[in-house]
Amino acid sequence: MRAAAIRRGLGGLLLAGAGVMGWAQAQTQSVPAIFRGADLALGERLMREHRCAECHTRQVGGDGRDIYNPKGRISTPGALRGMVELCNTEMNLGMFPEEVTAVAAVLQRDHYRFAP
Ligand code: HEC
């Protein structure tokens, strides 16, 4: 009885585990290669720290998000990362390469959504 219940419990756990792995895999596959494994929480924090939105709001009004234009001149994941790198250099933000990638990955997730 008890052993059966434990086996059922374990089976459930394994199934749940497989489900999570499937989900993680789907997530990974929907993300362009250069942004896979990027630290999204770090990217969000850096965007707050560097006040990206405040400055963009001065350009386009609202909450600044209208500056991110997926149909504009930025049309690939590489170009998006390149644009963040350019802002990084021009404005002397001092971000490391993996930080630039993290920020660009957040923009990919929230605004540009380029196909992998
Ligand atoms: C001091 C002001 C300022 C700050 C700070 C700033 N930007 Fe910008 N950003 C701009 C301006 C101005 C443009 C538009 C440039 C143009 O159209 O030529 C722009 C454009 C962009 C674009 C291109 C949007 C598109 O689709 O064409 C991206 C991406 C971007 N910024 C990312 C960032 C990120 C990420 C940060 C913070 C880490 C940041 N910017 C901080 C002023 C700023």
Side-chain angles (χ1 to χ4, degrees):
M1 261 291 272
R2 207 177 213 179
I6 289 171
R7 265 201 300 277
R8 263 201 308 279
L10 275 179
L13 266 182
L14 282 176
L15 271 181
V20 169
M21 272 165 65
W23 176 81
Q25 208 167 31
Q27 288 296 100
T28 306
Q29 279 163 0
S30 64
V31 172
I34 60 167
F35 297 137
R36 276 179 208 154
D39 188 340
L40 294 168
L42 172 69
E44 288 170 349
R45 184 162 61 75
L46 288 165
M47 286 180 69
R48 282 194 301 273
E49 272 174 24
H50 294 304
R51 307 186 180 284
C52 313
E54 277 93 325
C55 183
H56 293 156
T57 294
R58 285 200 289 279
Q59 312 293 324
V60 295
D63 60 5
R65 71 170 56 205
D66 283 354
I67 205 147
Y68 304 131
N69 176 15
K71 301 197 171 62
R73 60 204 158 139
I74 296 174
S75 57
T76 64
L80 173 57
R81 195 193 171 286
M83 183 72 208
V84 176
E85 182 66 71
L86 196 74
C87 277
N88 182 41
T89 313
E90 296 237 315
M91 292 157 205
N92 268 317
L93 301 180
M95 289 190 283
F96 293 113
E98 66 272 22
E99 295 180 324
V100 169
T101 300
V103 167
V106 170
L107 294 178
Q108 152 71 20
R109 182 197 63 190
D110 295 348
H111 301 285
Y112 292 89
R113 301 194 182 95
F114 296 123

